[in-house]
Amino acid sequence: MTAEIVNVPPPRAEADPSALSITPAPPVRRQWRAVLLRSVLVPLIVLAPLVTLTPSADHRFNVYANGGLYGAKPWLLVRNAFSTVPTFLDLGNFRPLGRITEWSLDVAVFALTALFGLPANIGLRLVSFVSAILLTIATVVFAAAVVSRRDRLFATPPPVPVALLPFAVGAGLVAAGWTSTTVLFGALYLATSALVLAVAAWACRSRRPGVLVVLAGAGIAAFNELAVLAVPLATAAVLVRNRVVLGRSPFRGPNARFLVLLWAGFLPVFLPVRAIIYLRCADGGCYAGSDLAPAGAPAALPGRMVSWLPPLMWEQAAHGFPRVAAAVPVLALIALALVAWRTVPGLRRLPALDRGQTYGLALAAVALLILASSIAALNADVQRFDIGLGWRDSGLTTAAGSILLLVLWRRYLVVALVGLVLAGTLSAAANKDFRDRAARGPWPYLHDRIAQEVADFDVTPAGDARRCALRATFVQTSAHNNHQGVGPNEQELRRFDVSLNRATILLAGVRFCSTAPR
């Protein structure tokens, strides 16, 4: 008698109810892409109200002058930047690489006019928005580099404070006065701030430092005053990470060698240049933006260390509490809320910082805040600023303050996110209020009309008549603003003619106004 053998399938394992209730975490790359997307969207939403802000100060002329001069001959950028070094040393600064960057950004703005007919006032803001995005990304990378213990920087999910940084940095992008980096030279100084953070992140993660690090040190010394902070910040970040985060000797490993090479490239350029500037400017008369006034720095430092706080900047931008009952703030709130809504589901699955990482990141942020505030407090002009007014340090102090805020806030993450969304909305409202106030009067209208005439260049006699009328209005406005009270400001009028003629000759082959003196 035979029996049929039946293959019975093994019993099905009981599913773990707790496992069924947990949504699997998305891949690490997707989580970092989400942080990158937020780093792009949040700054754009907050800064969008400034897109039509009129150009001010040197921007009224530089975009046309540099775009017209270097747009067709970009190789002159390098030649002129280094050939004018003696002249600028006499004025108190040394920025050949910084000038190449600044002029290149002006050429990029002018290219938007030449290629797409975009007025220079709008192109100027769009380029500065890109720099704000770079600053936000650099802040995220800097924070991640300080706390990461893995060989690969993005091998693990972003910690909660790092994932929320785009919201915090975006809330700090406020037009806090005409000297703020969101208004004046934003493309240059926000990009410089991103460079400072990127060098510090590089120092934390470098494995085989070599000659490139020495060249980077020399390049930093030849960039601008704000970029100089990259070297001490990199030093502080590496020492803190080695000792506090990694628990090893701060002076061992490839990161310590990186610092030696960075300083070796930096000091041989920085020290002789500062000695020359001191000798030439000891009696005064040099460019105030680069002048150092150590005596007044201690009194100014506390104010600069808190001027990054959004409520203080809202006051300076809006001359009061921002007006939120308007279409732009409502749209900003909706846009930020949508970005935050996509953030919430994955927030609780992200890792928290342990004690070493928390202390290390907090110390690195404090070092950044002190360095950035100090370089502002040393400036004689800034020492007279009200608390909350922005300056070249604003990008770095905002990054430092944002890191500190999120490191200290360890619980109620959704509440923190809601608070950052509301702060970003108020920052957008403050930017809108600043733009509305800036648009009043004949001066903003004049320069916006000039930008439009250059973009939509009309070669007919009617177009020439309109442009000559704008020049006549500029002469009247310049005379009204002349400190002597009589006659036009001849220096400004010459800059007007030279810069606009360069631009329109390159674009259309004719001068801006045919009746103006040659």
Side-chain angles (χ1 to χ4, degrees), residues 143-429:
V146 170
V147 302
S148 176
R149 296 190 178 101
R150 295 292 187 93
D151 290 339
R152 292 178 55 204
L153 180 58
F154 303 111
T156 58
V160 172
V162 175
L164 294 181
L165 270 176
F167 292 98
V169 175
L173 297 174
V174 183
W178 286 102
T179 56
S180 174
T181 49
T182 52
V183 175
L184 184 63
F185 294 109
L188 174 63
Y189 285 110
L190 291 175
T192 302
S193 300
L195 172 66
V196 171
L197 295 168
V199 171
W202 180 24
C204 290
R205 304 301 304 179
S206 179
R207 299 178 186 177
R208 297 185 183 89
V211 178
L212 182 60
V213 181
V214 179
L215 296 177
I220 290 167
F223 202 87
N224 58 34
E225 293 82 359
L226 188 65
V228 167
L229 298 182
V231 179
L233 178 63
T235 304
V238 166
L239 298 183
V240 166
R241 180 173 183 264
N242 283 350
R243 183 67 186 92
V244 181
V245 178
L246 301 180
R248 67 189 186 193
S249 171
F251 303 104
R252 296 183 63 182
N255 310 110
R257 184 167 179 263
F258 182 102
L259 297 180
V260 173
L261 295 175
L262 189 68
W263 282 99
F266 175 76
L267 291 177
V269 178
F270 179 77
L271 293 179
V273 165
R274 292 313 306 179
I276 293 171
I277 290 175
Y278 175 78
L279 293 175
R280 297 185 182 185
C281 300
D283 298 329
C286 287
Y287 173 53
S290 300
D291 197 16
L292 300 180
L301 182 60
R304 295 316 301 172
M305 290 186 69
V306 298
S307 289
W308 62 271
L309 289 166
L312 297 177
M313 293 192 288
W314 297 337
E315 171 69 27
Q316 298 295 339
H319 285 191
F321 194 79
R323 189 166 60 95
V324 294
V328 168
V330 172
L331 291 174
L333 175 61
I334 293 172
L336 289 172
L338 288 174
V339 178
W341 183 259
R342 296 292 301 272
T343 304
V344 170
L347 198 58
R348 298 186 183 279
R349 294 193 295 267
L350 296 179
L353 299 178
D354 61 31
R355 179 174 297 183
Q357 291 172 316
T358 299
Y359 289 162
L361 187 54
L363 288 172
V366 169
L368 173 59
L369 183 60
I370 293 174
L371 288 169
S373 301
S374 297
I375 199 169
L378 284 167
N379 184 267
D381 288 343
V382 178
Q383 290 170 6
R384 295 187 289 269
F385 279 14
D386 293 332
I387 295 178
L389 275 174
W391 197 63
R392 299 169 188 170
D393 63 318
S394 297
L396 288 175
T397 54
T398 293
S402 300
I403 294 172
L404 271 177
L405 176 67
L406 291 171
V407 166
L408 296 175
W409 189 289
R410 300 175 61 85
R411 301 177 63 185
Y412 307 111
L413 300 178
V414 175
V415 174
L417 182 56
V418 170
L420 293 175
V421 167
L422 294 177
T425 302
L426 288 170
S427 294

Side-chain angles (χ1 to χ4, degrees), residues 42-196:
V42 175
L44 287 179
I45 294 168
V46 175
L47 291 172
L50 297 175
V51 71
T52 58
L53 182 66
T54 191
S56 62
D58 288 344
H59 275 155
R60 295 173 297 162
F61 313 109
N62 287 1
V63 170
Y64 306 115
N66 294 327
L69 179 61
Y70 303 119
K73 300 176 181 179
W75 58 86
L76 292 179
L77 278 166
V78 177
R79 191 195 72 179
N80 289 352
F82 284 96
S83 65
T84 55
V85 163
T87 301
F88 283 107
L89 279 175
D90 289 336
L91 296 175
N93 61 53
F94 178 70
R95 310 170 180 171
L97 296 184
R99 285 193 178 84
I100 292 174
T101 304
E102 178 186 347
W103 297 344
S104 298
L105 292 168
D106 289 337
V107 172
V109 173
F110 189 73
L112 294 176
T113 297
L115 296 174
F116 306 109
L118 199 66
N121 57 330
I122 297 178
L124 192 65
R125 300 304 155 197
L126 293 180
V127 173
S128 69
F129 292 177
V130 173
S131 291
I133 292 170
L134 292 178
L135 171 64
T136 308
I137 295 173
T139 305
V140 169
V141 173
F142 169 73
V146 170
V147 302
S148 176
R149 296 190 178 101
R150 295 292 187 93
D151 290 339
R152 292 178 55 204
L153 180 58
F154 303 111
T156 58
V160 172
V162 175
L164 294 181
L165 270 176
F167 292 98
V169 175
L173 297 174
V174 183
W178 286 102
T179 56
S180 174
T181 49
T182 52
V183 175
L184 184 63
F185 294 109
L188 174 63
Y189 285 110
L190 291 175
T192 302
S193 300
L195 172 66
V196 171

Side-chain angles (χ1 to χ4, degrees), residues 1-7:
M1 180 177 180
T2 60
E4 183 179 0
I5 299 175
V6 179
N7 292 324

Side-chain angles (χ1 to χ4, degrees), residues 443-465:
W443 171 62
Y445 175 81
L446 169 66
H447 289 287
D448 287 348
R449 287 302 310 156
I450 290 171
Q452 192 66 55
E453 285 291 339
V454 173
D456 299 330
F457 198 82
D458 182 1
V459 296
T460 68
D464 184 63

